[in-house]
Amino acid sequence: MDIAKRFTQNPLIQPEDILASVQGAEVECLLNPGVFKFEGKTYLLMRVAERMKQREGYLSTLVVDPTKEGGVSIVEFALDDPKLCYDDARVFSYDGKTYLTTLSHLRLAESEDCINFKVQPKPLLLGLGEYEDFGMEDCRVTQMGELYILTYTAVSEYGPAVGKITTRDWKTFTRDGIMLAPPNKDCAIFEEIIDDKFWCLHRPVVKVDSWSELNIWLASSSDMEHWGNHICLAKTRPGMWDSQRIGAGAAPIRTEQGWLEIYHGCDETSRYCLGALLLDLSDPRKVIARSEEPIMEPLEKYEQQGFFGNVVFTNGHLVDGDCLTLYYGASDTVICAADLSIKEILQTLLS
Amino acid sequence: MDIAKRFTQNPLIQPEDILASVQGAEVECLLNPGVFKFEGKTYLLMRVAERMKQREGYLSTLVVDPTKEGGVSIVEFALDDPKLCYDDARVFSYDGKTYLTTLSHLRLAESEDCINFKVQPKPLLLGLGEYEDFGMEDCRVTQMGELYILTYTAVSEYGPAVGKITTRDWKTFTRDGIMLAPPNKDCAIFEEIIDDKFWCLHRPVVKVDSWSELNIWLASSSDMEHWGNHICLAKTRPGMWDSQRIGAGAAPIRTEQGWLEIYHGCDETSRYCLGALLLDLSDPRKVIARSEEPIMEPLEKYEQQGFFGNVVFTNGHLVDGDCLTLYYGASDTVICAADLSIKEILQTLLS
């Protein structure tokens, strides 16, 4: 049962609200923001996917290029060039080198009221180095004291990996490299130390001959740099709303009943819904309860139609007492928000 | 150029030399031993792949089952049972549950002369728990002081992952769980601390839409439990002998010129050869040199014909001065050995 009260202002931010980062490019999609408070304001750290406007007879795209102002350069190939291979809307190759048709960066939007957001005109974080050649995606923001820890998908030919960046002031950033080797994504670090350890949720991307395993795993660490003791926390469930793939949202929320984790699940029709996991407060390896039915489903038109329809996907939220405000990507196109009652979510889990 | 001097006694151990661990089963393949010295003797820790002898009209296989004596039980299904799906020689499913047709365990063989090996009649280590449902494979043995650290492929429906076990006496074993999340394998821990850190080589199994990335990565650790700072150390090389996949062998060998790592590479014909990487002694993230041509290729009949032909694959060796004795799996069927001169390998790398 969908128990989300969507903001009447949805969508809050749309591609047409955003300046492209490079002349000749356009913002194609806004996706899945990390969310945090800083100096009294609310911020979304959005994934912005850009595509070049195409000239007839040519295929062009954006590539990460730290030598260029703006950190991005444009490459263009004639469609009749025999070295060009393109038969997929998302990826092509030229002379054996792979390119994506869109490039994602992370950009900030700020708000005083959690509803009206002002988007910064330029990217905050661009892919940097060989592990982020194809950009940065779906950033979770974990806060511990004054430290903000960003975990995101570093995308490159090496496959998706989990990158980590830390900051205290949102002006200077420390790039900590690849925290979890590819193929992995959807990583959220818990905001508290439990049993003297740091903990994170993550989602290995396992494709074995005839089957895929896209489950939520848990790992622990003594320093947030090195991770181990990996266990599978939750598996996809055949025949249910989360039968094909699942992945963590933002950091779990402490409640009296346990750690409440909002996660996404997708079924065989590629419909993405949200559900919840409840983990033991003192030992997050123990799953106390899990949503039988989604707590949020793509019901509104803006959740059903877009670049990739029938998707609600979250990796950022605010908590204010019983009110959980989820910021979410709808149809991989626009940014929306919805309020849920934590008590009500727990009732669906524990009744 | 193949510079390996094969033992005239090759193959040293064959499936017919080995007792199956369960009545009704047969040893199908011997593969890729880890190698170590203990109390003056040389040991191989082999991967033994077993298969049930089949009754007409039925399909049976071995499954890990800690409740059974021997740790394994037998399941059998009628071929005309509609719940049975089989169309792959390696894997089938019954009622939605996946089974492999062979099950691998780790078994010891001991020798006084490094040539004649006596194989223990029973498995030393069997898969245990949900991450090893489908067995244990390709164990590397790293020695640090009196501690032996075993890194192996834990195989299950979750995909291949890196498991770790430690022992000091080869009688009691500490199972440390999943050290690197799936999909990953071919993990070898360095035998020395460098720059106050432990180091390991590993091989993520990346399958992205239209391409695979099967490269050798490097990670570091402060405790051998938790690993981070992952970097790609060596990539497959299009058009060369290691164009499709590469993976580390055993722990690197300290030489005056650098850490010498023997690795396997496979080309588009699935021919597995061995080559070498030379890494900076004080910073193993720096690759000094890499084999342009293999240093060992499948040339002998026993390396060209078998369960999976045209394979030489090593993850265990002994070093005695300039002499490197590689123990290797040939054609995924028999265990062999060959001597190589470390000086000669370095000459191929540095000339």
Side-chain angles (χ1 to χ4, degrees):
Chain A
M1 196 183 68
D2 190 301
I3 57 172
K5 290 176 197 70
R6 286 153 179 84
F7 282 25
T8 54
Q9 297 88 349
N10 279 350
L12 302 184
I13 317 177
Q14 309 184 54
E16 48 267 40
D17 303 336
I18 313 268
L19 282 177
S21 66
V22 177
Q23 206 168 14
E26 57 197 348
V27 174
E28 175 140 316
C29 312
L30 300 181
L31 302 102
N32 318 335
V35 181
F36 61 96
K37 293 244 185 206
F38 179 67
E39 294 180 350
K41 287 186 186 168
T42 297
Y43 289 86
L44 306 182
L45 185 56
M46 300 183 295
R47 171 182 166 197
V48 176
E50 295 181 313
R51 182 190 292 272
M52 287 304 294
K53 293 175 193 163
Q54 299 296 314
R55 281 206 297 158
E56 206 182 315
Y58 292 86
L59 182 58
S60 63
T61 194
L62 300 155
V63 292
V64 169
D65 183 353
T67 68
K68 285 278 153 48
E69 206 197 310
V72 168
S73 66
I74 297 157
V75 292
E76 187 176 63
F77 307 104
L79 288 180
D80 59 5
D81 188 327
K83 289 183 185 163
L84 183 67
C85 298
Y86 61 105
D87 57 3
D88 184 315
R90 298 163 303 170
V91 56
F92 67 92
S93 74
Y94 182 81
D95 202 14
K97 180 163 162 48
T98 304
Y99 296 89
L100 296 196
T101 54
T102 62
L103 182 66
S104 291
H105 65 256
L106 302 179
R107 200 184 296 200
L108 277 181
E110 65 177 73
S111 176
E112 308 265 2
D113 62 5
C114 305
I115 300 168
N116 296 289
F117 284 87
K118 193 176 132 204
V119 181
Q120 291 190 354
K122 293 200 171 176
L124 180 76
L125 292 165
L126 282 165
L128 184 66
E130 58 182 330
Y131 305 112
E132 299 172 4
D133 252 357
F134 297 167
M136 304 169 76
E137 304 182 354
D138 299 348
C139 188
R140 279 77 177 164
V141 180
T142 286
Q143 189 176 357
M144 296 185 96
E146 290 183 353
L147 184 70
Y148 295 86
I149 307 123
L150 286 55
T151 48
Y152 59 95
T153 309
V155 190
S156 75
E157 272 196 86
Y158 295 104
V162 176
K164 179 155 97 36
I165 290 177
T166 49
T167 186
R168 290 175 185 273
D169 59 8
W170 290 94
K171 285 183 193 120
T172 55
F173 298 89
T174 306
R175 294 206 179 227
D176 297 326
I178 298 302
M179 173 183 138
L180 296 173
N184 206 317
K185 49 168 56 178
D186 296 336
C187 177
I189 296 178
F190 285 59
E191 294 188 310
E192 292 182 31
I193 290 169
I194 309 161
D195 191 22
D196 287 331
K197 293 188 261 300
F198 298 98
W199 299 82
C200 81
L201 302 167
H202 63 94
R203 213 291 295 283
V205 184
V206 179
K207 294 185 184 181
V208 191
D209 305 323
S210 48
W211 75 94
S212 295
E213 288 290 334
L214 301 166
N215 303 313
I216 298 176
W217 285 61
L218 180 74
S220 60
S221 173
S222 55
D223 58 6
M224 283 200 279
E225 289 285 305
H226 306 88
W227 295 85
N229 297 306
H230 301 269
I231 64 163
C232 181
L233 193 69
K235 291 196 71 171
T236 50
R237 295 178 295 188
M240 294 182 68
W241 62 276
D242 50 5
S243 62
Q244 297 303 301
R245 58 178 66 194
I246 55 176
I253 302 152
R254 174 185 272 280
T255 73
E256 280 180 26
Q257 284 75 14
W259 293 104
L260 179 64
E261 173 64 19
I262 309 299
Y263 73 96
H264 67 267
C266 153
D267 67 13
E268 60 281 356
T269 69
S270 293
R271 186 170 184 260
Y272 280 75
C273 297
L274 301 179
L277 278 168
L278 191 63
L279 312 178
D280 189 284
L281 274 187
S282 58
D283 184 356
R285 291 170 296 189
K286 292 184 189 153
V287 177
I288 298 168
R290 180 171 174 187
S291 296
E292 293 294 310
E293 299 294 333
I295 59 172
M296 186 170 180
E297 304 177 56
L299 298 178
E300 297 293 330
K301 190 176 168 190
Y302 51 82
E303 296 163 354
Q304 294 181 337
Q305 293 176 18
F307 183 76
F308 192 100
N310 276 320
V311 170
V312 290
F313 186 110
T314 187
N315 49 251
H317 57 238
L318 296 175
V319 176
D320 183 8
D322 180 56
C323 180
L324 171 65
T325 303
L326 288 183
Y327 291 89
Y328 66 98
S331 291
D332 280 3
T333 308
V334 294
I335 307 291
C336 301
D339 286 336
L340 292 90
S341 154
I342 291 175
K343 207 178 288 175
E344 211 175 329
I345 299 172
L346 292 172
Q347 277 167 2
T348 67
L349 287 171
L350 298 171
S351 61
Chain B
M1 195 184 68
D2 190 302
I3 57 171
K5 289 176 198 69
R6 286 153 179 83
F7 283 24
T8 54
Q9 298 87 348
N10 278 350
L12 303 185
I13 317 176
Q14 309 185 54
E16 49 267 39
D17 303 336
I18 313 269
L19 281 177
S21 66
V22 177
Q23 206 169 13
E26 57 196 349
V27 174
E28 175 139 317
C29 312
L30 299 182
L31 302 103
N32 318 335
V35 181
F36 61 96
K37 293 242 184 208
F38 179 66
E39 294 180 348
K41 288 186 186 167
T42 297
Y43 289 85
L44 307 182
L45 185 56
M46 301 183 293
R47 171 181 166 200
V48 176
E50 295 180 312
R51 181 190 293 272
M52 286 305 295
K53 293 175 192 162
Q54 300 295 312
R55 281 207 295 159
E56 206 182 315
Y58 292 86
L59 182 57
S60 63
T61 195
L62 300 155
V63 293
V64 168
D65 183 352
T67 69
K68 284 279 153 46
E69 206 197 311
V72 167
S73 67
I74 298 157
V75 292
E76 187 177 61
F77 308 103
L79 288 180
D80 59 4
D81 188 327
K83 288 183 185 161
L84 182 68
C85 299
Y86 61 104
D87 58 2
D88 185 315
R90 297 162 302 168
V91 57
F92 66 93
S93 74
Y94 182 82
D95 202 14
K97 181 165 164 43
T98 304
Y99 297 89
L100 296 197
T101 53
T102 61
L103 183 66
S104 291
H105 65 258
L106 302 180
R107 201 183 298 199
L108 278 183
E110 64 177 74
S111 175
E112 307 267 0
D113 61 4
C114 305
I115 300 167
N116 296 289
F117 283 88
K118 192 176 133 206
V119 181
Q120 290 190 355
K122 293 200 171 176
L124 181 76
L125 291 165
L126 282 165
L128 184 66
E130 59 183 329
Y131 305 112
E132 298 172 4
D133 253 359
F134 297 167
M136 304 168 77
E137 304 181 356
D138 299 350
C139 188
R140 279 79 175 161
V141 179
T142 286
Q143 188 175 359
M144 297 185 95
E146 291 184 351
L147 183 70
Y148 294 87
I149 307 122
L150 285 57
T151 49
Y152 59 94
T153 310
V155 190
S156 74
E157 272 196 88
Y158 295 104
V162 176
K164 178 155 100 29
I165 290 177
T166 48
T167 187
R168 289 176 187 272
D169 59 9
W170 291 95
K171 284 183 195 122
T172 55
F173 298 89
T174 305
R175 293 205 179 228
D176 297 327
I178 299 300
M179 173 184 137
L180 297 172
N184 206 317
K185 49 168 57 178
D186 296 336
C187 176
I189 297 178
F190 285 59
E191 295 189 309
E192 292 182 32
I193 290 169
I194 309 161
D195 192 22
D196 286 332
K197 293 188 261 299
F198 298 97
W199 299 82
C200 80
L201 303 168
H202 63 94
R203 212 292 295 285
V205 184
V206 178
K207 295 184 184 183
V208 192
D209 304 322
S210 48
W211 76 93
S212 295
E213 287 290 335
L214 301 167
N215 303 314
I216 297 176
W217 285 62
L218 180 75
S220 59
S221 173
S222 55
D223 58 7
M224 283 200 279
E225 289 286 305
H226 306 88
W227 295 86
N229 297 305
H230 300 269
I231 63 161
C232 182
L233 192 69
K235 291 196 72 171
T236 50
R237 296 178 293 187
M240 294 182 68
W241 62 275
D242 50 4
S243 63
Q244 297 303 301
R245 58 178 66 195
I246 55 176
I253 302 152
R254 175 186 271 281
T255 73
E256 278 179 27
Q257 283 75 13
W259 293 104
L260 178 65
E261 173 63 18
I262 309 300
Y263 74 96
H264 66 268
C266 153
D267 67 12
E268 60 282 354
T269 70
S270 293
R271 185 170 185 262
Y272 280 74
C273 298
L274 301 179
L277 279 167
L278 191 64
L279 312 177
D280 189 283
L281 274 186
S282 59
D283 184 356
R285 290 170 298 188
K286 293 185 189 152
V287 177
I288 299 169
R290 180 172 173 187
S291 297
E292 293 295 310
E293 299 294 335
I295 57 171
M296 186 170 179
E297 303 179 56
L299 298 178
E300 298 292 331
K301 189 174 169 193
Y302 51 81
E303 295 164 353
Q304 294 182 337
Q305 293 175 16
F307 183 76
F308 193 99
N310 275 321
V311 171
V312 291
F313 187 110
T314 187
N315 49 251
H317 57 237
L318 296 176
V319 176
D320 183 11
D322 180 56
C323 178
L324 171 65
T325 303
L326 288 183
Y327 291 89
Y328 66 99
S331 291
D332 279 4
T333 307
V334 293
I335 307 292
C336 301
D339 286 335
L340 291 90
S341 154
I342 291 174
K343 207 178 287 176
E344 211 176 330
I345 299 172
L346 292 172
Q347 277 167 1
T348 68
L349 287 170
L350 298 171
S351 62

